[in-house]
């Protein structure tokens, strides 16, 4: 009677201990042209239940709970350096997957490092529709790509992505206590814990055993942690290769990091040290960032010495007093811009995080300093120009000896005749005059304050106005504008009590961080802008044109679309950009140089002016009265009228019938596009 009990205990014992038996790793070895490769054909994943915030932000007809995920790892030799290629397969038998981005989350001693991966190759079984690449950014203002698709459809979809990791990064990842795969898809976020870390570590050991590790030379510089104490010492690391043992060991001493892979380089962010490195795929350090963000338990500011004696306590005006004028400016978005100096750039910001709080400055604060070998030459030293004396030329004859003497100090000029007016342009100063051809009287003058030798704009107000000062800062000095509008490029301008017409970088009439680009004084009254002219002016413009830059900078959370990455990721010829808050959708076409081919405006959100003076509150008959008879009409329930605007543009109106106005038709959306050449 006791034997069955013994057998039962033995069976129970086997059941209990069996899971602890070591399973042989599924690592395959192959040799191709005398090169050894290893592959782990299946990385074991276990789903993690999390609160999906993304599904709360996007109205979705479904979730990605039916998505099947498969991950494997294989070695790959690139430029004689071994890498690990992660191959991710996604399959949903019911719905289109849309698009997204991928992260790996490493946990060690309770702290997390994140690796954001960029696909070097992506295969789709169907061409994704309406996909675009936007940008996310971390608290340092560092951008990285995220892809989204505005519409999802029913139907099976299969994707394959390939992500490259350097061997050093792979070694760092598998050294963690836990490793998770985060898949951010349309309307859903999938979290998986990677269970077989021991197999990944074995793969790492096998690959490292055959990898050619660089050997230190006697000429290799000896680095210590003291090199991080000042920008002057950090310059020595630029163009150095992180694959050298000396440098790899040095960076490892900086502690935890986040890593973002992009198409041609990757970036390492040591948040607790306030230092970042951007590294080319071949291993050379391209630039080094020194950052001023302070978020408790997350980001710490750089504690070392900055170039030229500046400190993070210096605002823009104090920094320029120490460094002199920059050799160039690069507006990045309202409230933020880069100033270039030889060997480094300063990232200025009106808004930055200090002690965990969003802080606002009257002047720009230093957000970060970027050390780089690829920076502008020193600024050309130009003789100062008295801005007030320049403004006093308005209404004077350009032939006056005093005027001629002053203009001679602006450098060589270029003259062009435009019939009623003659234009004088001074390229060294980026300044111009518009002169009445018949009377020689200066009617308009234009300049950039506190740039190219011009002094700041001063007047009967407290303080002074510089190039790239924000609109909020300007109106603290000059009060509310007396008139405003948009230039031909779409950028916003405002006129003030002093007579100054100040031009701003972006289209937005409401954003208070829109930066100053120029100041104009004129004897002429403003010509009323044609309704919707700035929209028509966008059509046919390339994605990198000033017009598109001004428009997107105002509408699109001030992010720049990475069109080159769109073609890499999705291989499509058209992409859509929608801005729900503004009710605008732009369509870009062209692979190499995308340009705007169509604009869609939606009644629920769009409040700007429309071509022909129509509005979304006009009935169909009123629209006919303003635009004339349509060249084509079709549809019954939601009829469509197609109008010709001038000779270059089509305007198509799609109507709807409001529930409270039966029998009446009002615009639901308006499409604008160019007339195609025959």
């Amino acid at each position: 009677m006791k034997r069955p009990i013994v057998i039962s205990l033995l069976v129970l014992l086997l059941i209990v201990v069996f899971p602890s038996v070591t399973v042989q790793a599924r690592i395959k070895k192959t040799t191709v042209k005398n090169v050894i490769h290893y592959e782990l054909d299946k990385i074991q994943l276990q789903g993690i239940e999390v609160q999906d915030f993304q599904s709360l932000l996007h109205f979705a007809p479904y979730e990605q709970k039916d998505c099947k995920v498969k991950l494997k790892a294989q070695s790959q030799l690139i430029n004689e350096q071994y890498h690990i290629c992660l191959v991710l397969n996604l399959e949903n038998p019911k719905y289109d997957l849309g698009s997204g981005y991928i992260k790996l989350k490493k946990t060690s001693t309770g702290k997390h490092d994140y690796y954001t991966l960029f696909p070097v190759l992506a295969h789709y079984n169907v061409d994704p529709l309406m996909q675009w690449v936007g940008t996310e950014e971390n608290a340092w203002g560092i951008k990285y790509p995220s892809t989204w698709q505005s519409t999802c459809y029913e139907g099976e979809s299969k994707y394959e992505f390939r992500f490259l990791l350097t061997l050093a990064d792979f070694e760092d990842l598998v050294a963690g206590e836990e490793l998770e795969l985060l898949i951010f898809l349309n309307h859903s976020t999938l979290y998986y814990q990677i269970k077989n870390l021991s197999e990944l570590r074995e793969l790492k050991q096998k690959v490292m055993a055959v990898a050619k590790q660089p050997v230190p030379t006697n000429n290799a510089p000896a680095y210590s942690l003291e090199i991080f104490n000042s920008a002057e010492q950090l310059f020595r690391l630029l163009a150095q290769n992180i694959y050298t043992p000396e440098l790899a060991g040095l960076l490892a001493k900086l502690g935890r990091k986040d890593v973002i892979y992009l198409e041609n380089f990757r970036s390492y962010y040591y948040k607790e040290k306030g230092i970042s490195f951007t590294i080319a795929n071949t291993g050379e350090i391209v630039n080094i960032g020194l950052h001023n963000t302070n978020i408790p338990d997350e980001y710490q500011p750089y504690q070392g010495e900055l170039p030229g004696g500046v400190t993070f306590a210096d605002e823009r005006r104090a920094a320029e007093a120490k460094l002199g004028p920059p050799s160039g400016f690069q507006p990045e978005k309202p409230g933020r811009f880069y100033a270039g100096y030889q060997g480094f750039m300063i990232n200025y910001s009106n808004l930055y995080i200090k002690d965990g709080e969003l802080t606002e400055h009257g002047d720009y604060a230093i957000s970060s300093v970027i050390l780089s070998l690829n920076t502008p030459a020193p600024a050309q030293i130009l003789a100062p120009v008295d801005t007030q004396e320049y403004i006093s030329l308005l209404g004077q004859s350009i032939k006056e000896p005093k005027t001629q003497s002053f203009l001679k100090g602006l450098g060589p000029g270029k003259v062009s005749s435009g019939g009623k007016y003659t234009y004088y342009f001074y390229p060294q100063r980026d300044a111009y005059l518009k002169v009445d051809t018949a009377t020689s009287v200066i009617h308009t003058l234009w300049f950039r304050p506190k740039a190219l030798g011009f002094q700041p704009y001063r007047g009967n107000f407290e303080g002074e106005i510089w190039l790239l000062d924000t609109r909020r800062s300007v109106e603290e000095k000059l009060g509310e504008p007396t008139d405003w509008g948009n230039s031909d490029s779409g950028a916003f301008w405002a006129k003030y009590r002093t007579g100054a017409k100040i031009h701003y970088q972006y289209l937005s009439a409401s954003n208070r961080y829109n930066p100053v680009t120029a100041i104009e004084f004129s004897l002429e009254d403003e010509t009323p802008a044609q309704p919707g002219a700035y929209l028509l002016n966008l059509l046919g413009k390339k994605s990198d044109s000033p017009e598109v830059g001004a428009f997107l900078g105002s509408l699109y959370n001030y992010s720049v679309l990475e069109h080159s990455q769109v073609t890499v990721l999705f291989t499509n010829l058209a992409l859509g950009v929608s801005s729900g808050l503004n009710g605008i959708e732009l369509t870009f076409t062209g692979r190499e140089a995308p340009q705007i081919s169509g604009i869609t405006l939606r009644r629920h959100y769009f409040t700007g002016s429309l071509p022909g003076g129509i509005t979304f509150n006009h009935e169909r008959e009123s629209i006919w009265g303003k635009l004339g008879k349509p060249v084509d009409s079709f549809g019954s329930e939601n009829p469509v009228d197609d109008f010709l605007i001038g000779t270059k543009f089509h305007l198509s109106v799609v109507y709807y019938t409001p529930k409270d106005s039966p029998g009446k038709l009002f615009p639901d959306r308006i499409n604008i596009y160019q007339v195609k050449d025959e």
Side-chain angles (χ1 to χ4, degrees):
M1 295 295 293
K2 293 182 179 180
R3 182 170 297 177
I5 297 176
V6 173
I7 294 174
S8 299
L9 289 174
L10 180 59
V11 171
L12 180 61
L13 181 62
L14 288 173
I15 292 173
V16 171
V17 301
F18 180 77
S20 65
V21 174
T22 302
V23 179
Q24 185 66 30
R26 298 178 301 278
I27 298 176
K28 300 177 182 178
K29 176 182 177 181
T30 57
T31 303
V32 180
K33 295 182 179 180
N34 297 322
V35 177
I36 297 174
H37 289 286
Y38 291 97
E39 177 181 278
L40 178 59
D41 63 353
K42 183 178 181 181
I43 297 176
Q44 300 176 47
L45 303 174
Q46 179 175 329
I48 302 174
E49 291 291 333
V50 295
Q51 173 66 44
D52 186 0
F53 294 102
Q54 198 168 336
S55 63
L56 302 177
L57 298 175
H58 300 272
F59 296 102
Y62 63 90
E63 295 181 357
Q64 296 288 4
K65 60 184 178 181
D66 299 309
C67 182
K68 298 177 181 178
V69 180
K70 181 181 178 182
L71 184 66
K72 67 179 180 180
Q74 54 192 209
S75 64
Q76 193 166 335
L77 193 64
I78 301 175
N79 296 327
E80 298 185 353
Q81 292 285 342
Y82 270 94
H83 293 69
I84 297 296
C85 180
L86 297 180
V87 182
L88 176 65
N89 292 94
L90 304 176
E91 179 180 353
N92 193 321
K94 295 182 179 180
Y95 296 103
D96 183 10
L97 287 164
S99 53
Y101 60 100
I102 311 298
K103 289 187 178 184
L104 291 173
K105 176 184 175 183
K106 169 194 168 186
T107 302
S108 295
T109 62
K111 293 187 176 181
H112 310 301
D113 295 354
Y114 289 90
Y115 281 66
T116 301
L117 305 182
F118 186 89
V120 293
L121 191 64
H123 289 302
Y124 300 86
N125 69 314
V126 292
D127 290 331
L129 301 176
M130 301 298 289
Q131 285 187 313
W132 49 272
V133 175
T135 52
E136 303 288 335
E137 62 179 53
N138 62 16
W140 284 345
I142 306 297
K143 293 184 174 181
Y144 56 92
S146 63
T147 69
W148 298 107
Q149 180 169 302
S150 61
T151 307
C152 297
Y153 302 93
E154 293 188 9
E156 180 182 8
S157 58
K158 299 177 182 178
Y159 294 173
E160 179 180 288
F161 298 98
R162 292 176 177 265
F163 306 99
L164 279 182
L165 285 165
T166 67
L167 197 52
D169 285 343
F170 185 68
E171 181 181 15
D172 177 62
L173 281 167
V174 300
E177 298 166 3
E178 294 181 357
L179 188 60
E180 296 172 32
L181 172 68
L182 282 58
I183 305 174
F184 298 88
L185 291 171
N186 260 24
H187 318 301
S188 189
T189 304
L190 307 179
Y191 283 65
Y192 293 94
Q193 183 175 359
I194 294 177
K195 297 177 63 178
N196 53 341
L197 275 179
S198 59
E199 293 182 350
L200 290 175
R201 290 167 184 153
E202 183 177 345
L203 174 66
K204 180 262 300 184
Q205 291 174 350
K206 290 180 179 295
V207 176
M208 291 188 71
V210 298
K212 295 179 179 179
Q213 300 296 333
V215 178
T217 66
N218 294 330
N219 297 325
Y223 298 119
S224 68
L225 286 175
E226 292 182 357
I227 199 170
F228 299 113
N229 292 342
S230 72
E232 183 178 358
Q233 296 185 74
L234 281 168
F235 274 117
R236 296 164 53 197
L237 297 183
L238 290 172
Q240 298 292 327
N241 196 300
I242 67 162
Y243 291 126
T244 61
E246 294 85 0
L247 206 55
L250 179 69
L251 296 184
K253 296 178 182 178
L254 286 175
R256 60 187 290 253
K257 64 181 181 295
D258 285 354
V259 182
I260 295 177
Y261 273 74
L262 295 175
E263 186 176 3
N264 297 313
F265 57 88
R266 62 191 184 278
S267 298
Y268 294 84
Y269 305 109
Y270 297 90
K271 298 185 294 186
E272 294 171 339
K273 303 294 184 182
I275 300 177
S276 66
F277 294 87
T278 298
I279 299 167
N281 287 343
T282 50
E284 288 79 20
I285 295 177
V286 177
N287 63 50
I288 301 171
L290 311 174
H291 305 280
N292 184 29
T293 300
N294 185 355
I295 302 177
D297 301 323
E298 187 68 16
Y299 290 85
Q300 296 297 319
Y302 175 67
Q303 298 295 324
E305 297 177 2
L306 300 178
V310 299
T311 71
F312 284 133
D314 291 329
E315 293 187 335
R316 175 194 179 188
R317 283 159 168 77
E320 286 201 20
K322 295 178 180 179
L323 300 173
S327 54
F329 298 99
Q330 180 183 339
E332 208 270 335
K333 69 179 185 180
R336 195 162 77 192
F337 75 94
Y338 289 95
Y341 291 89
Q342 190 173 24
F344 64 95
M345 291 193 302
I346 295 180
N347 182 5
Y348 287 107
S349 178
N350 265 122
L351 299 171
Y352 82 107
I353 299 173
K354 182 178 181 181
D355 298 327
E357 299 292 332
L358 194 63
T359 304
E360 185 175 305
H361 283 263
D363 195 6
Y364 289 91
I366 298 176
S367 176
S368 58
V369 176
I370 311 298
L371 312 181
S372 174
L373 296 178
N374 185 24
T375 52
Q380 183 181 1
I381 304 300
L382 298 172
V385 177
D386 188 319
T387 299
Q388 294 307 113
E389 187 175 352
Y390 178 70
I391 295 171
S392 70
L393 299 180
L394 191 67
Q396 304 297 315
S397 171
I398 198 168
K399 294 181 178 180
E400 289 286 339
K402 184 178 179 181
T403 302
Q404 287 290 311
S405 175
F406 182 88
L407 294 178
K408 188 176 180 179
L410 299 182
K414 297 180 179 180
V415 182
S416 61
S417 178
K420 182 180 179 181
Y421 294 106
T422 301
Y423 299 88
Y424 293 77
F425 177 61
Y426 298 89
Q428 283 187 355
R429 309 289 185 162
D430 203 10
Y432 81 82
L433 307 172
K434 185 168 78 171
V435 179
D436 187 295
T437 303
T439 65
S440 299
V441 172
I442 298 172
H443 273 232
T444 302
L445 49 84
W446 189 96
F447 66 99
R448 300 188 188 276
K450 193 59 172 70
L452 301 172
F454 274 95
Q455 295 175 348
Y457 170 48
R458 303 183 181 95
N460 59 343
F461 55 88
E462 186 176 348
E464 53 191 30
I465 295 173
W466 289 26
L467 181 72
L468 299 182
D469 277 353
T470 64
R471 183 180 168 193
R472 182 181 69 86
S473 173
V474 168
E475 293 181 359
E476 285 177 352
K477 302 176 179 72
L478 303 184
E480 293 296 315
T482 58
D483 194 9
W484 60 87
N486 294 93
S487 65
D488 290 340
S489 71
F492 179 76
W493 59 261
K495 203 166 186 177
Y496 297 92
R497 59 177 175 80
T498 62
K501 179 181 178 181
I502 297 185
H503 294 263
Y504 295 93
Q505 178 78 17
Y506 301 105
L507 175 145
S508 175
S510 59
N511 192 289
R512 312 301 285 183
Y513 297 98
N514 213 343
V516 173
T517 58
I519 296 180
E520 176 184 330
F521 283 85
S522 181
L523 298 177
E524 303 169 18
D525 294 330
E526 299 298 336
T527 303
Q530 293 297 315
Y534 65 95
L535 293 172
L536 300 178
N537 194 43
L538 285 173
L539 289 168
K541 296 297 191 299
K542 293 183 179 180
S543 59
D544 58 356
S545 67
E547 293 85 354
V548 174
F551 194 79
L552 291 181
S554 298
L555 297 176
Y556 213 47
N557 197 25
Y558 318 113
S559 295
V560 178
L561 296 177
E562 304 289 347
H563 299 291
S564 61
Q565 295 176 5
V566 170
T567 56
V568 170
L569 282 172
F570 310 119
T571 65
N572 61 320
L573 294 175
L575 59 135
V577 181
S578 60
S579 178
L581 293 177
N582 301 92
I584 293 174
E585 184 174 300
L586 307 179
T587 299
F588 291 80
T589 56
R591 185 187 298 274
E592 298 299 329
Q595 62 185 31
I596 294 180
S597 59
I599 302 172
T600 299
L601 311 170
R602 302 182 185 278
R603 66 180 169 91
H604 288 297
Y605 304 104
F606 184 76
T607 57
S609 64
L610 296 170
I614 66 174
T615 72
F616 283 103
N617 294 322
H618 281 136
E619 292 186 50
R620 188 180 194 183
E621 291 76 11
S622 298
I623 290 176
W624 282 37
K626 289 182 175 292
L627 300 182
K629 186 177 179 180
V631 295
D632 191 15
S633 296
F634 54 90
S636 55
E637 184 176 349
N638 293 104
V640 178
D641 287 335
D642 190 19
F643 300 91
L644 193 61
I645 306 295
T647 59
K648 295 183 178 180
F649 307 103
H650 277 286
L651 186 146
S652 175
V653 182
V654 181
Y655 299 96
Y656 80 108
T657 300
K659 292 181 179 179
D660 57 355
S661 301
K664 295 183 178 181
L665 293 170
F666 292 87
D668 180 54
R669 64 183 183 275
I670 294 173
N671 304 307
I672 309 170
Y673 54 96
Q674 283 184 302
V675 175
K676 294 183 179 179
D677 296 329
E678 297 296 337

